Amino acid sequence: MYSCRYPHLFSPIRLGDTLFRNRLFGAPIGYEYLSSQNHPLEETIAFFERKAMGGAATVNYGSGAVDSKRGVIGLSNPYLDDPTALPPLYRLASAVNRHGAVAAIELGHFGANSYICAARGAQIYGAVDGQNALGHFVPAMPEEVIEETIEAFGNAAAFAKFCGFGLVTIHAGHGWLLNQFLDPNVNVRKDRWGGSLENRCRFALAVIERIKQKCGRGFPVDIRISGATCYEGGYGIDEGVAIARQLDGKVDMIHVSAGSHEVAEVFTVTHPSMFLPDGPNVQFAAEIKKHVGTPVATVGGLNDPELMEEIVSSGKADVVMVARALLADPDMPKKARAGKRDEIRPCIRCFECFAGITTKRQNRCSVNPEIGFEQDSRHALPPSSRKVVLIAGGGVAGMQAALTAAERGHEVVLCERDDRLGGVLTCEDKVPFKRLLREYLDYQARMIARAPIEVRLGTAVTAELAEAMGADVVIAALGGRPAVPPIPGIAGGNVLGAEEAYRHPDKTGARVVVLGGGLAGIELAIYLSEMGRAVTIMEMMETLSDGGNPVHGLALINEIKRYGIQVSTSTRAAEITERGAVGEYVGNLYTLPPCPTVQAAVLQSNSFGRAVRAEAEVGSRRLFEADTVVYATGREPLHAEAGALRFAAPEFYQIGDCFAPRNMLEATRMAHAVARDL
């Protein structure tokens, strides 16, 4: 007899007059690819519908703008004051609702940080006179504009309800307009909209009341607040509790987040990085829950249904909200309810989703190749003729290719020359902050073991093997080898490659110089620093590199500061001696291109390791004393090894690092697409 492993998580909850099928809600998430009028496209609809199909109780369209003239921060906010948005928003809500989820939408106004509106020449306002995050002066919002904005929230909610959305989330956290009024360290107004707690909450309460008047008392309204802003000069949980008590009984749910959107050092607290434990912000919801009778939701770094069940069953929160977890695996709710926890594809908190949004304005996921291409996966492909597919290499690309090819009905043989699957990333098994990556690799290996895939470990693929098997297809996913820089002394006994240092950190001494300021080098420096090493990063570029992942870059900044890692940029390793690495100052010859977003621009600042030494002359040298020098200077594709297999079968494909250096996102996408096309 079936017994639900997570009965509290999958019990229903009633908010207002609406029954939600479980306590696992989709947190608000935006979508970047819209029409020129900021209307959802079919791709947008497919993105949100996919989550509804996976069993979440709600699917929430984030960053809806209640005032498109003076309340928008970015280029992709859906405008809820635009009547022409009705047809596509209705289609989106209907696509979600028809699967039994409740379509929800977030109502927001960025106030002083409404950069796009300011760039278009509109007057923007904050709670008080002051500068916004870009350093621009913004005046205090006049009372008549406050009243207009209250009406705009009400109208937006009514419009959303008319479009078919069954829940609205008022965004009053993260430094958005309503939070600017709620924050006692910001709102020092002397009128009825500021100063005392009651006055600071007046705006938010008026918005709630206007929405209830326009939408009906039974229409569910959720409000997102920051339980604490988590930065020096912000407010703590005591103030979060006080704010929540003012909201108690006025809304149907209090959604407790943390941090402030435009404060760089806490961006990766609001959206927990890989350096934080699971559910680090639950503490704020749990404390607020003690003081209010209104249902409370928690959000941030939640992926494990065991933890979610404990949160709900223990009374820390009534609802758990997830965003990135539903990108990694939209079917996570269904799998959890069916007791298939070990089949849930884990989010590794790599921030590729945010990197896609901030750099390419595209939604994507390192571990789920479906994200961004949901329309391609909506319908099954025609049956393929069964082929014998031989895959050489069991790393990230090889494993995904094997799984996708098996799903398409092919006979798949996966060969890996080492004694386990996972490829080069297995070198990071011992790294504490890569725990989620290890779980993902284990998940992929587990899914391969359950699929009709023959795995041959300790086996190198040769043309003779392919011929003996009668392979119709050979997919080379052989990876690469460490690139060894041509530096005098590189073969010395005190020099290691990054992979060896990851696998055997005990071989490093107390003082370490890491050559290479890309992601591999920075993360290795953090790992060794966690183990008590004194680490210096040497990089030829003018800045360290975030690898095109600016939000993960923000998390790296915090860790570099935390461990006091020294950085010397614009510095070439000229020689390695027994005493360490000799660095030569090369000047600003290797400058990264300008970053395209506000958050990414932080990576070009001094806080991300720029070491421009005005007093140093180009060509000047300095010894960086170290017991161990580690090179983290990239990987070289195994082109020759792959080439030896090129004519071993009628079809040949070269994917992943053995084609060109790839990150996980690119390797996974390419492997999935190639195998799907067979």
Side-chain angles (χ1 to χ4, degrees):
M1 178 179 176
Y2 168 72
S3 176
C4 184
R5 186 179 178 91
Y6 312 114
H8 296 87
L9 183 62
F10 288 99
S11 63
I13 185 171
R14 183 176 294 278
L15 302 177
D17 292 339
T18 301
L19 186 71
F20 296 79
R21 60 187 176 187
N22 56 55
R23 309 296 182 96
L24 208 166
F25 283 28
I29 184 169
Y31 196 82
E32 295 296 307
Y33 188 50
L34 305 175
S35 77
S36 60
Q37 297 173 281
N38 281 26
H39 293 172
L41 300 168
E42 286 303 308
E43 291 86 347
T44 323
I45 294 168
F47 175 80
F48 288 102
E49 182 178 16
R50 180 64 183 86
K51 294 170 180 56
M53 294 164 64
T58 66
V59 177
N60 198 315
Y61 189 3
S63 300
V66 304
D67 182 352
S68 62
K69 304 298 188 296
R70 55 193 175 204
V72 178
I73 190 173
L75 295 170
S76 303
N77 300 105
Y79 298 157
L80 301 179
D81 55 358
D82 174 12
T84 68
L86 170 61
L89 285 174
Y90 168 71
R91 281 185 56 77
L92 191 154
S94 298
V96 169
N97 291 333
R98 66 178 178 166
H99 296 285
V102 174
I105 195 164
E106 187 176 58
L107 312 181
H109 190 303
F110 275 89
N113 298 319
S114 300
Y115 308 131
I116 292 299
C117 294
R120 292 170 177 164
Q123 178 61 65
I124 64 173
Y125 300 98
V128 296
D129 291 347
Q131 289 187 335
N132 64 17
L134 292 184
H136 300 151
F137 174 77
V138 179
M141 183 174 280
E143 181 155 1
E144 63 272 18
V145 179
I146 292 175
E147 296 290 355
E148 291 173 9
T149 305
I150 293 168
E151 190 68 13
F153 270 97
N155 290 337
F159 180 63
K161 180 182 179 182
F162 185 70
C163 290
F165 291 93
L167 169 74
V168 293
T169 296
I170 302 168
H171 203 321
H174 302 174
W176 291 26
L177 176 67
L178 294 180
N179 186 243
Q180 292 161 26
F181 275 81
L182 292 172
D183 192 332
N185 301 298
V186 174
N187 187 358
V188 293
R189 296 173 69 115
K190 303 301 181 183
D191 59 8
R192 68 193 186 106
W193 304 101
S196 68
L197 174 66
E198 293 76 10
N199 284 353
R200 286 185 281 109
C201 293
R202 190 183 306 278
F203 196 169
L205 290 171
V207 165
I208 295 165
E209 176 59 24
R210 194 67 182 121
I211 291 174
K212 288 291 186 179
Q213 290 172 355
K214 285 183 171 284
C215 295
R217 297 291 164 183
F219 183 73
V221 177
D222 162 39
I223 188 166
R224 170 180 271 190
I225 66 171
S226 291
T229 51
C230 302
Y231 66 91
E232 187 176 349
Y235 65 80
I237 185 58
D238 290 346
E239 187 64 30
V241 168
I243 292 169
R245 293 180 68 176
Q246 292 288 310
L247 301 170
D248 192 20
K250 308 297 193 305
V251 289
D252 301 286
M253 185 164 67
I254 300 173
H255 168 175
V256 183
S257 184
S260 183
H261 188 278
E262 297 303 285
V263 180
E265 62 265 29
V266 298
F267 195 89
T268 53
V269 173
T270 302
H271 315 90
S273 73
M274 65 175 63
F275 299 102
L276 296 177
D278 292 349
N281 297 332
V282 174
Q283 57 179 315
F284 303 118
E287 185 59 31
I288 285 173
K289 176 70 178 165
K290 298 174 185 176
H291 300 274
V292 300
T294 300
V296 170
T298 186
V299 67
L302 296 168
N303 191 75
D304 184 356
E306 296 282 345
L307 175 58
M308 298 179 197
E309 173 71 10
E310 189 277 328
I311 290 168
V312 178
S313 65
S314 66
K316 293 174 184 173
D318 302 283
V319 164
V320 293
M321 290 199 167
V322 296
R324 286 175 287 174
L326 292 181
L327 293 178
D329 195 338
D331 294 320
M332 183 264 283
K334 278 187 176 179
K335 291 177 180 178
R337 195 188 189 290
K340 299 178 180 179
R341 178 192 178 200
D342 64 350
E343 294 185 12
I344 296 171
R345 184 189 296 112
C347 167
I348 62 174
R349 291 194 226 153
C350 64
F351 286 130
E352 272 295 346
C353 48
F354 278 101
I357 292 170
T358 56
T359 64
K360 308 296 185 185
R361 296 186 59 210
Q362 293 287 318
N363 292 69
R364 64 195 196 192
C365 176
S366 281
V367 300
N368 185 357
E370 184 181 7
I371 298 303
F373 298 94
E374 288 83 4
Q375 276 195 306
D376 295 350
S377 304
R378 265 178 150 176
H379 308 291
L381 292 173
S384 60
S385 58
R386 185 176 173 85
K387 298 175 181 178
V388 177
V389 179
L390 175 60
I391 300 173
V396 167
M399 288 194 291
Q400 184 60 58
L403 286 167
T404 303
E407 288 171 3
R408 294 284 291 134
H410 298 295
E411 180 182 338
V412 180
V413 177
L414 174 62
C415 295
E416 167 56 46
R417 61 190 172 191
D418 291 332
D419 60 358
R420 61 173 290 194
L421 298 176
V424 66
L425 293 180
T426 60
C427 76
E428 300 180 4
D429 275 356
K430 300 176 183 177
V431 181
F433 56 83
K434 290 300 183 81
R435 171 183 58 83
L436 295 171
L437 172 61
R438 184 170 64 251
E439 289 182 7
Y440 169 68
L441 296 178
D442 290 345
Y443 159 83
Q444 289 287 80
R446 193 162 56 246
M447 294 302 100
I448 285 171
R450 296 178 185 178
I453 297 171
E454 180 184 347
V455 177
R456 300 184 185 181
L457 298 177
T459 303
V461 172
T462 63
E464 292 73 21
L465 176 63
E467 182 179 6
M469 286 179 47
D472 301 299
V473 181
V474 169
I475 298 177
L478 297 168
R481 62 172 63 89
V484 182
I487 302 169
I490 195 69
N494 61 337
V495 181
L496 300 174
E499 291 174 31
E500 187 176 4
Y502 269 122
R503 294 187 192 278
H504 305 287
D506 53 295
K507 291 184 178 181
T508 62
R511 299 170 302 170
V512 180
V513 169
V514 175
L515 306 181
L519 287 182
I522 298 170
E523 291 179 350
L524 176 61
I526 293 168
Y527 175 44
L528 295 177
S529 296
E530 286 181 343
M531 301 182 70
R533 311 296 196 266
V535 184
T536 298
I537 299 172
M538 187 184 297
E539 168 57 46
M540 289 177 65
M541 293 282 193
E542 186 185 351
T543 62
L544 302 183
S545 172
D546 63 11
N549 194 331
V551 177
H552 185 51
L554 296 178
L556 296 176
I557 291 171
N558 291 339
E559 301 306 303
I560 288 172
K561 290 179 177 178
R562 181 199 308 273
Y563 292 107
I565 296 170
Q566 301 301 302
V567 175
S568 184
T569 53
S570 299
T571 306
R572 179 180 69 87
E575 183 183 4
I576 299 171
T577 72
E578 293 180 356
R579 297 177 57 198
V582 177
E584 179 181 332
Y585 181 56
V586 296
N588 303 335
L589 301 178
Y590 305 93
T591 304
L592 293 174
C595 297
T597 66
V598 176
Q599 287 82 19
V602 176
L603 305 187
Q604 300 286 47
S605 72
N606 289 332
S607 63
F608 200 69
R610 186 193 298 260
V612 179
R613 298 179 300 247
E615 75 282 1
E617 295 182 3
V618 172
S620 63
R621 294 190 174 192
R622 170 191 164 191
L623 174 66
F624 293 82
E625 294 188 359
D627 304 297
T628 310
V629 177
V630 181
Y631 56 90
T633 47
R635 293 175 62 77
E636 298 174 345
L638 295 177
H639 284 162
E641 291 83 348
L645 303 175
R646 188 168 305 278
F647 300 108
E651 292 184 54
F652 173 79
Y653 302 93
Q654 195 170 333
I655 65 174
D657 279 354
C658 80
F659 178 72
R662 302 282 184 180
N663 60 22
M664 278 189 63
L665 167 79
E666 295 163 336
T668 302
R669 276 187 173 179
M670 187 178 190
H672 176 69
V674 165
R676 197 167 183 264
D677 291 342
L678 294 177

